[in-house]
Amino acid sequence: LLAGHMVETLEPWSVEAPSLGFSAELHGMGWLDHLAANGDRNARLAAQGWVFDWIERFGMGDGPGWEPDLVGRRVLRWLHHAIFLTSARTGAENQPFFAALGRQTAFLARRWQAAQPGLPRFEALTGLLYAAYALLGMDGYREAATRALATACDTDIDPEGAIASRNPEDLLEVFTLLTWAKLALEDAEAPTPQ
């Protein structure tokens, strides 16, 4: 069930998206949270199959799902569920996963500015910051991602803590993203901007 549309399939990338919202939720991969929460072998194999199929079809930057907010959302899900997505697979089998994470991180470093202010910008920047601290070879993005996220807090959140959309769900998502960013900085023993 994505964006109010129920679709039953074992091949999600072959489904014609009934709406832009459906496509965004599909490519943002929030559904990984549900499969990982299930946690059984069938859920893991489905998640692995769908993610690696996505990489094969779209992982080089072609097709839908390459807006900065969706890439940030997807990178966060992949990093949060990396063990689930890579377990019981060889290093060679997992290489496309890590290569795709690297490409998406580089994309975010180049394109986060194109994300709309508010939740989309926070998704893009939190994905970039998280990847910069989680992935080998991405440490060159750490300072810029941290600085950009701090600037987004100053410009996109008013002094009373509100955001322009005034949508409580968006506000909760922004709070969650900022909490993840703070935890990533703390885990790395990096300073957290005020």
Side-chain angles (χ1 to χ4, degrees), residues 136-156:
L136 294 174
M138 299 296 159
D139 51 330
Y141 298 128
R142 290 176 179 177
E143 187 178 323
T146 304
R147 192 172 45 251
L149 188 56
T151 300
C153 288
D154 287 339
T155 59
D156 294 357

Side-chain angles (χ1 to χ4, degrees), residues 11-170:
E11 298 181 10
W13 313 117
S14 299
V15 171
E16 187 174 333
S19 71
L20 290 177
F22 180 94
S23 181
E25 287 193 29
L26 182 63
H27 288 273
M29 298 194 185
W31 46 264
L32 272 174
D33 295 343
H34 303 288
L35 290 173
N38 179 296
D40 68 12
R41 182 176 186 276
N42 289 338
R44 179 177 52 80
L45 291 174
Q48 289 174 333
W50 296 348
V51 167
F52 281 85
D53 191 24
W54 185 93
I55 292 167
E56 194 172 302
R57 290 173 185 242
F58 309 111
M60 297 304 290
D62 300 324
W66 283 91
E67 293 82 28
D69 56 325
L70 295 182
V71 175
R73 194 181 314 166
R74 186 170 51 246
V75 163
L76 285 166
R77 290 313 185 281
W78 286 15
L79 290 171
H80 281 164
H81 303 303
I83 293 172
F84 183 69
L85 292 170
T86 60
S87 67
R89 297 173 58 89
T90 68
E93 289 172 323
N94 285 324
Q95 192 282 330
F97 176 77
F98 292 105
L101 272 170
R103 281 190 297 278
Q104 291 176 90
T105 303
F107 173 87
L108 287 171
R110 289 187 315 271
R111 300 280 296 144
W112 70 262
Q113 298 93 336
Q116 293 295 314
L119 179 58
R121 183 178 294 163
F122 284 106
E123 287 176 319
L125 286 170
T126 304
L128 175 59
L129 182 135
Y130 221 81
Y133 280 95
L135 299 172
L136 294 174
M138 299 296 159
D139 51 330
Y141 298 128
R142 290 176 179 177
E143 187 178 323
T146 304
R147 192 172 45 251
L149 188 56
T151 300
C153 288
D154 287 339
T155 59
D156 294 357
I157 302 172
D158 76 15
E160 284 77 43
I163 56 175
S165 75
R166 299 179 49 88
N167 180 331
E169 189 174 339
D170 286 359

Side-chain angles (χ1 to χ4, degrees), residues 178-193:
L178 291 176
T179 300
W180 290 345
K182 185 176 186 301
L183 290 173
L185 291 169
E186 288 174 354
D187 286 348
E189 298 180 355
T192 302

